[in-house]
Every structure is written in structure tokens, then in C-alpha cells.
Amino acid sequence: MKKTSTRLADGRELIYYDSRDDAVRDAVDRRPLDPISTTSEIRRDPLLGDAVAIASHRQGRTYHPPADECPLCPSAGDRLSEIPDSSYDVVVFENRFPSLAGDAGRCEVVCFTSDHDSSFADLTEDQARLVLDAWTDRTAELSHLPSVEQVFCFENRGAEIGVTLGHPHGQIYAYPFVTPRTSLMLRSLAAHKESTGRNLFDDVVADESAGERVVLEAEHWVAFVPYSAHWPYEVHLYPKRRVADLLGLDEAARTEFPKVYLELLRRFDRIFGNGGAEGEPLTPYIAAWHQAPFGPLDEHEGVNRDDFALHLELFTIRRTSGKLKFLAGSESGMSVFINDVPPEAAAQRLREVASS
């Protein structure tokens, strides 16, 4: 992998990740952009104890542009985009409309491919490996920023999720705090360790690996629908050797990951049809990497970051053909999820749609 860092016209960092060591990336951003001005602010909720990012400048972000005006496609002739070069493998750049900025963290965009009409599931294994390497590199770099305590790599796919740009891409959020969801995991991890002396993640993976909700298993990875899945179709993907973050994956796990992950994504597109070929839109999903925080874990006594287990959670908000799962009264009002699809049935369906 070759990494080339450059700057856009407004000063934001852009990084090319290339599979070829002889790639040259010297294109200049020719757009007349003013320096970025953001209003990102972190406010603490005194009742819940969590944090809310207030970012009013995001109201003006690019919203469903025509394909020939996509800001994530390579620049071509007089059509200038966020990527100055005329082609690329993988690109990461600072978001022009960040939710987090400055002392309040950092937001980056990850472009998986220059092909506007594809998706992550269409990537080759080599392309998917390059994305994994980019996620890992950005996790390492962002973890060293003074304000950053947690790095979150994720992808939103589909208009139903709220995606405003159709080009295949994901994002990375570098938070200046430990997120509420991770704090809950750490609390459960600490309680389990105190009561049993064992690691909660290890026990969960062992129990699920021996049960009926396994979706697929390889030498270094296992994927399953969790016992208490919140979403209609939800899969958790774990490396079999517990590591705290993407940096901890060994070469064997990195090499096997693309094949496993691409198979999962392709199965998601076949849950409700044949990947859009039968009139059913491609399955909207969120893919979220959970990594151990890089900041102190003082409030979780007896737990250190090596006790945390890196894993990816992949889920869709579609509950059946043509119908979405909405977070209404119980979910949004009280954070109590109600799942219409039994996890065992979801796992069975995801096994049925395996590649032949």
C-alpha cells in the first residue's frame, strides 16, 4: 500500500491509498474554496450524561446531487470534485461539513472506489483489503490527536438510512469522548469480569459460535445474529482472536477479512430479493466497527482496553420487503427496542442466501 497525503484548496487534508507503489498523486485542487468555518460544539446532557454534537453548518451540506455532479467522483476536465485526481483506489479526506471539528474531534470521508455506480459488495477482495488498511491507518493516526478518545469507522448505505451522496463511501468519526454505546459495553464487561473472572466478549462469542444463530464461520472470523438482536437483520462479525482495535489484527485475519465481509454484504443484498435484480432495491444498511477507546477507562474499574473486543456490527432497517423498521415511541422515547424478526429466523435466512 502506498499512502500520499496532500491538501485541498481550503486546507483540508486528503490522503490517497494506492495498491501500486509507483502511483503518483500530484494533482492540485483547482477549486476557489474559502477556508472551512464550522460551528461544531459538544454539549453534555445533564440528565442522561451523554453528549450531543451541535453542528448547524451541516444544514448546507451537499444533498442528493445528480450523478454528474457527485463530489466523490474523480475530477474530470472542468468538472472539479473533492478528489483532484482523475482516478483513485481509496481516498480519505476531512469532511467539508463535519459534525466534529477542532477540539471537538474530527470527521473524515472514506471513498471505497472511484466507480460511482458500484457498492462495497462489488469490490474485489484486493480492493476490500485496501479499505481495511486505510481504516487501520486512520485509526492509528487519529488516535494520536490530543482531543481524540475513540475512533469509529462506519458505512451508511442507502437513501432509507439517510445517505445524501450515492457514491460508495463511509465515514470515520474521531470523538473527544467515549461514546454512550461503548460505555455500556464497558460497564457490562466490568460487571461480568467482577462476577465471573472471565471476559464477557469471549463468553458471548463462545456461546454464539456453538449455537443456531451462526451465519458463517471461517478460520479467523465468525459472524452471527446476536441472541438479543435489536434490528430485523443484524450480524456481528468477530475475529476469533480477541484484539482491542483494528491495529491488533494479525496478517492472517487481515487476509481472510475481505472474503468473509464481502460474502456478508452480498447476502444482505439477497435477503429480500436478488440484489436489486428482481425489482427490490438494494438492502440499506449500517456497518459499524466497534473499537476500544484510546482514552482512560478510569470509571470502569478493573477493565483495561485489552479486555475490549474489536467487532463489526452490520444491520438493516428493512424488516421485510417494502417495509422499514422505524424507531418510534418505545425505541426513540425509552431506548427499548422491539424486533419483529426472531434472531433465529434472521440467521436462517442469511444462511439460505449464501453464495453458491
Side-chain angles (χ1 to χ4, degrees):
M1 178 186 77
K2 182 179 181 181
K3 175 183 175 183
T4 306
S5 180
T6 184
R7 292 282 171 180
L8 296 174
D10 53 13
R12 288 175 293 134
E13 185 177 19
L14 179 144
I15 306 164
Y16 294 97
Y17 292 91
D18 286 290
S19 56
R20 292 175 48 181
D21 291 336
D22 61 350
V24 176
R25 299 299 185 184
D26 55 7
V28 176
D29 185 3
R30 296 182 284 120
R31 296 173 298 170
L33 298 180
D34 294 326
I36 289 294
S37 176
T38 67
T39 58
S40 296
E41 176 188 357
I42 301 298
R43 296 186 182 181
R44 292 280 178 179
D45 186 319
L47 296 181
L48 299 179
D50 60 4
V52 177
I54 308 297
S56 59
H57 62 276
R58 284 177 53 78
Q59 285 280 32
R61 66 188 185 274
T62 308
Y63 185 80
H64 294 302
D68 61 356
E69 296 179 15
C70 174
L72 306 185
C73 286
S75 292
D78 294 331
R79 189 189 63 75
L80 305 178
S81 73
E82 289 280 68
I83 295 90
D85 215 327
S86 59
S87 66
Y88 64 84
D89 290 348
V90 174
V91 165
V92 177
F93 61 88
E94 289 184 75
N95 198 323
R96 193 176 180 187
F97 303 95
S99 303
L100 310 167
D103 293 338
R106 176 159 159 150
C107 291
E108 298 182 340
V109 176
V110 183
C111 298
F112 303 139
T113 172
S114 60
D115 184 356
H116 179 87
D117 296 317
S118 67
S119 68
F120 201 120
D122 297 321
L123 300 182
T124 66
E125 291 184 20
D126 287 344
Q127 288 175 306
R129 170 60 190 264
L130 188 59
V131 174
L132 174 64
D133 290 342
W135 283 331
T136 304
D137 181 73
R138 296 315 301 152
T139 295
E141 292 290 330
L142 294 170
S143 70
H144 291 119
L145 295 181
S147 64
V148 172
E149 293 194 23
Q150 187 170 356
V151 179
F152 176 46
C153 307
F154 65 100
E155 180 192 1
N156 298 328
R157 204 279 288 270
E160 301 95 327
I161 295 291
V163 175
T164 57
L165 296 175
H167 195 104
H169 73 287
Q171 299 181 65
I172 303 175
Y173 277 23
Y175 297 101
F177 51 80
V178 178
T179 61
R181 188 173 177 85
T182 302
S183 292
L184 289 174
M185 292 184 190
L186 291 170
R187 187 177 69 185
S188 298
L189 183 63
H192 188 80
K193 188 174 183 179
E194 181 179 6
S195 63
T196 69
R198 299 192 305 271
N199 182 279
L200 176 59
F201 287 108
D202 291 349
D203 284 357
V204 167
V205 172
D207 289 346
E208 293 286 8
S209 296
E212 62 180 316
R213 289 179 297 276
V214 172
V215 173
L216 66 84
E217 184 172 6
E219 183 177 357
H220 302 285
W221 296 86
V222 61
F224 54 82
V225 177
Y227 170 74
S228 53
H230 289 55
W231 298 93
Y233 290 89
E234 174 181 342
V235 174
H236 293 190
L237 176 63
Y238 279 80
K240 290 184 177 179
R241 182 179 69 87
R242 172 165 45 91
V243 295
D245 52 43
L246 288 166
L247 285 70
L249 292 174
D250 60 21
E251 183 58 29
R254 291 180 183 281
T255 299
E256 188 179 69
F257 170 78
K259 182 177 182 180
V260 173
Y261 186 49
L262 290 171
E263 172 64 14
L264 279 179
L265 293 180
R266 291 162 186 168
R267 290 189 192 190
F268 258 60
D269 277 339
R270 292 193 290 267
I271 295 173
F272 308 104
N274 188 21
E278 297 174 357
E280 186 73 32
L282 293 174
T283 303
Y285 66 73
I286 292 175
W289 279 110
H290 292 265
Q291 306 191 78
F294 290 94
L297 303 180
D298 298 340
E299 62 183 280
H300 303 284
E301 188 175 349
V303 169
N304 58 59
R305 73 182 311 272
D306 290 335
D307 291 320
F308 195 88
L310 168 77
H311 63 284
L312 183 140
E313 298 185 8
L314 172 67
F315 60 90
T316 179
I317 62 171
R318 186 176 292 161
R319 57 187 175 87
T320 190
S321 181
K323 297 179 181 178
L324 301 180
K325 164 66 178 176
F326 292 101
L327 301 190
S330 185
E331 291 88 353
S332 294
M334 297 302 286
S335 294
V336 178
F337 275 68
I338 301 168
N339 190 352
D340 298 331
V341 180
E344 294 74 20
Q348 175 62 32
R349 178 58 179 158
L350 286 163
R351 288 193 296 268
E352 290 173 350
V353 295
S355 297
S356 56

